């Protein structure tokens, strides 16, 4: 699964990935059942990860508005216990944050050992929207690719497993979802007219993200076809279960404990 | 439900509350079914709360080791979406935190408007363990009751609904749970020998918490009989559903949107 979606080519281009494709599974029902069925395994591994306090997981969710970042949180991250998972959504940087280097504001939210963090948007906005709207010059964008690679290498060295997922929706599907936000009164609060400005720059975004994915692929990117919500969730659930399974997590031994003596003390 | 467990008497004493009682329901199966059944309502109200961005919820969980604070998070808070709920566990204050007043470290974790925060332990440690072990003098503890009341009033004025739950377990049930942590290899990592030191001070803790509950009851305390995990969860699930229902939350109107024109722009 991971090798199927991990970006490996030097000429990667989002334009060549069909957002509506569903390789590996055709049934929405089976996909949803699979996602639910991973719950016990995910929670078990989450508890072992937390008990061991050695590594941590950082799931980065990127993509255009309406690509389903919140949906992944609601349907996949929801499978974890709330105890050691934390979701952070990053909006436009504040005035204070702008006084620092672009990576500064993310550091305090990196997951502590044993924990799972989910970033709804990330430093890829700083080579995404920042590039599309020329918020910084091209030489600054160029520098940032290197700074991002160094930052992610530092995180990896600290035991943080960085999973970067680009949720890839089509222009047409985004349109349907934005219309849905307008027509459904229970979703209308989500609608932000600014999203239409970004929608008008679609091709520029695809180009900027394609470049960012190519240039910052030391921790591989996973590009997830996301026009079908059930497929998107199915892929992410597998990425998480496979990643956690690979760690071969065990509960820590406690040779420090004299169990019999302690039980006597309790009773 | 809230009136049943809200502390209202001026001579409140934990010693008079039976931790094994289960008023209102006798069936574990029915209690668990009820908790699960509240999920859709809780998530709907959570989304409305978030959409409205006016109020927020702070659930404070206090109690002796093994009273089930983590259990409540895993079985009740888990019913919410992870999007706008955040759990923070407070351990002993760090050296830096000790350089500030005792309430300082909690402020950054208060819930933003529209969000739900769960505090696993809180400033009640500062009139609990701090009092039992004489970490500060009695005159400081005395001052802290007033400071806590002012702090909670400030939070309430800022739109934070503070729900304080004391999970009340018996000495015997705590003993069983601690023994279980030692005998079950998948729970052994949780065992901390320091918990036995606190266990030895049981009566002092009951007295300190009884006083704190009496003195800091402007936002009423809910004392939850917690020897039965299913009962504890049943009570908390009801406290949350009732509290949210009382807010009569609605999705915000969006008179600012010219829906027809926007749909045309999208298509």
């Amino acid at each position: 699964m991971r090798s199927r979606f991990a970006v490996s080519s030097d000429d990667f281009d989002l334009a060549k990935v069909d957002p509506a494709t569903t390789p590996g599974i055709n049934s929405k029902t089976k996909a949803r059942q699979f996602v639910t069925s991973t719950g016990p395994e995910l929670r078990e591994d989450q508890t072992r990860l937390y008990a061991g306090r050695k590594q941590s997981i950082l799931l980065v969710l990127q993509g255009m508005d309406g690509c389903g970042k919140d949906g992944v949180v609601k349907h996949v991250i929801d499978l974890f216990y709330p105890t050691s998972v934390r979701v952070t959504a990053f909006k436009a940087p504040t005035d204070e944050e702008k006084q620092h280097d672009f990576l500064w504001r993310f550091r305090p939210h990196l997951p502590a050992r044993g924990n799972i963090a989910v970033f709804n948007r990330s430093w890829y906005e700083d080579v995404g929207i920042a590039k599309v709207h020329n918020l910084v010059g091209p030489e600054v964008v160029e520098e940032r690719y290197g700074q991002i690679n160094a930052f992610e290498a530092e995180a990896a060295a600290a035991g943080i497993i960085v999973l970067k997922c680009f949720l890839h929706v089509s222009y047409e599907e985004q349109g349907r979802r934005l219309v849905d936000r307008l027509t459904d009164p229970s979703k209308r609060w989500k609608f932000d007219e600014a999203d239409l400005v970004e929608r008008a720059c679609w091709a520029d975004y695809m180009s900027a993200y394609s470049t960012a994915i190519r240039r910052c692929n030391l921790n591989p990117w996973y590009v997830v076809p996301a026009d079908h919500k059930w497929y998107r969730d199915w892929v992410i659930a597998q990425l998480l279960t496979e990643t956690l399974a690979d760690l071969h997590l065990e509960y820590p031994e406690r040779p420090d404990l004299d169990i019999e003596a302690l039980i006597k003390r309790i009773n």
Side-chain angles (χ1 to χ4, degrees), chain A:
Chain A
M1 173 53 59
R2 279 174 296 169
S3 57
R4 172 178 283 159
F5 293 103
V7 171
S8 57
S9 70
D10 289 341
D11 61 345
F12 174 80
D13 187 347
L14 280 168
K16 293 182 199 153
V17 182
D18 178 359
T21 188
T22 65
I25 192 161
N26 284 314
S27 156
K28 175 177 174 172
T29 311
K30 280 193 185 154
R32 291 255 180 251
Q33 278 169 355
F34 174 83
V35 169
T36 306
S37 77
T38 61
E41 190 185 330
L42 284 175
R43 288 189 285 274
E44 183 81 18
D45 271 339
Q46 173 190 19
T47 307
R48 289 196 175 109
L49 184 77
Y50 186 75
R53 305 268 177 151
K54 283 181 189 153
Q55 289 135 314
S56 55
I57 306 273
L58 171 58
L59 177 68
V60 172
L61 299 173
Q62 272 305 139
M64 300 298 286
D65 299 307
C67 69
K69 299 182 295 294
D70 279 327
V72 167
V73 170
K74 284 184 174 181
H75 301 296
V76 187
I77 302 308
D78 193 44
L79 297 167
F80 290 115
Y81 291 125
T83 25
S84 59
V85 69
R86 188 163 272 206
V87 180
T88 309
F90 292 97
K91 314 281 180 193
T94 63
D95 286 343
E96 188 198 6
E97 287 167 351
K98 284 183 197 161
Q99 304 304 312
H100 295 268
D101 80 277
F102 73 104
L103 291 165
W104 179 81
R105 66 184 184 132
F106 301 104
R107 293 185 189 267
H109 302 280
L110 290 174
R113 289 191 190 90
N115 285 260
I116 298 166
V118 179
F119 283 6
N120 182 330
R121 304 187 184 272
S122 68
W123 45 90
Y124 286 98
E125 298 293 325
D126 299 285
V127 290
I129 192 171
K131 187 180 183 190
V132 168
H133 292 299
N134 297 305
L135 305 180
V136 292
E139 72 293 349
V140 173
V141 173
E142 192 58 35
E143 275 174 17
R144 285 183 177 178
Y145 298 132
Q147 289 162 335
I148 286 173
N149 283 331
F151 175 67
E152 291 186 11
E154 183 193 323
I160 301 174
I161 295 150
V162 185
L163 289 172
K164 300 180 289 183
C165 294
F166 187 85
L167 308 182
H168 188 34
V169 284
S170 61
Y171 183 80
E172 295 70 28
E173 178 63 17
Q174 189 200 47
R176 283 187 288 272
R177 293 184 189 178
L178 291 177
V179 168
D180 188 43
R181 284 186 190 176
L182 285 167
T183 47
D184 182 340
S186 77
K187 293 182 180 169
R188 211 167 275 159
W189 62 275
K190 290 188 202 177
F191 188 84
D192 184 352
E193 209 166 327
D195 294 352
L196 300 192
V197 177
E198 308 312 326
R199 177 169 168 79
C201 308
W202 192 272
D204 291 342
Y205 270 107
M206 290 306 107
S207 164
Y209 276 125
S210 294
T211 306
I213 288 170
R214 279 197 308 270
R215 297 291 303 278
C216 302
N217 202 34
L218 293 181
N219 293 299
W221 270 97
Y222 301 98
V223 174
V224 182
D227 271 9
H228 295 287
K229 295 172 181 177
W230 56 267
Y231 187 72
R232 167 203 79 196
D233 292 345
W234 181 77
V235 173
I236 306 276
Q238 281 187 78
L239 283 177
L240 288 169
T241 46
E242 287 184 12
T243 301
L244 284 163
D246 260 15
L247 298 178
H248 304 291
L249 296 161
E250 299 287 352
Y251 287 109
E253 303 276 339
R254 292 293 302 270
D256 57 314
L257 299 178
D258 181 344
I259 309 248
E260 227 169 288
L262 286 165
I263 291 178
K264 257 190 210 152
R265 246 177 96 189
I266 293 169
N267 291 324

